[in-house]
Amino acid sequence: MNNYIHTHKHEKSLSLSLDVGASKVYAIGKKMNDLHELAYMNGYNWSAFMNFYLKKNHPTVLVNMKDDSEAGTFVAYCDRTDENEKRVNQLAEIIKELINDESQIYKIVQENGDEIEWD
């Protein structure tokens, strides 16, 4: 169980939010910023990081997905369909894997930090 990823079913849409202030996510974000000065990990920069990572590694997850991040939260959303629900659930699993094995995140920032379109 985690306290940082939340998925929601709305009447016509689905959404996923990542609480960037949650202790584990915040600690990872702090280290990301130590590795790359532009990686101050607010919701907008988590959006930039996730878009970069997903385009390279899981492009099908991005199909129909939009983001509406805020300073304290990364938010992805899409229309409510069975196919999109699978994508939202897959996105949640991808984020959990990254957070639980943060060394992957640090490697990406070290190797590709200048390619990521930070906020």
Side-chain angles (χ1 to χ4, degrees), residues 4 14-21 25 40-52 54 62 65-78 91 95 117-119:
Y4 49 85
L14 303 164
S15 65
L16 174 144
S17 60
L18 172 67
D19 178 2
V20 303
V25 180
Y40 52 92
M41 297 312 292
N42 58 21
Y44 306 111
N45 272 344
W46 274 105
S47 177
F49 175 83
M50 290 307 303
N51 281 316
F52 177 85
L54 293 169
L62 291 171
M65 199 75 64
K66 298 176 180 103
D67 70 71
D68 187 24
S69 297
E70 301 285 332
T73 310
F74 162 72
V75 177
Y77 69 96
C78 55
L91 178 57
I95 293 172
E117 295 180 26
W118 303 110
D119 178 51

Side-chain angles (χ1 to χ4, degrees), residues 2-52:
N2 72 70
N3 64 346
Y4 49 85
I5 298 173
H6 306 281
T7 58
H8 305 279
K9 292 181 184 181
H10 310 281
E11 186 176 332
K12 294 183 180 183
S13 64
L14 303 164
S15 65
L16 174 144
S17 60
L18 172 67
D19 178 2
V20 303
S23 59
K24 185 168 187 160
V25 180
Y26 182 81
I28 291 169
K30 187 167 174 9
K31 177 130 187 210
M32 291 169 75
N33 190 214
D34 291 344
L35 296 171
H36 196 286
E37 67 179 333
L38 296 179
Y40 52 92
M41 297 312 292
N42 58 21
Y44 306 111
N45 272 344
W46 274 105
S47 177
F49 175 83
M50 290 307 303
N51 281 316
F52 177 85

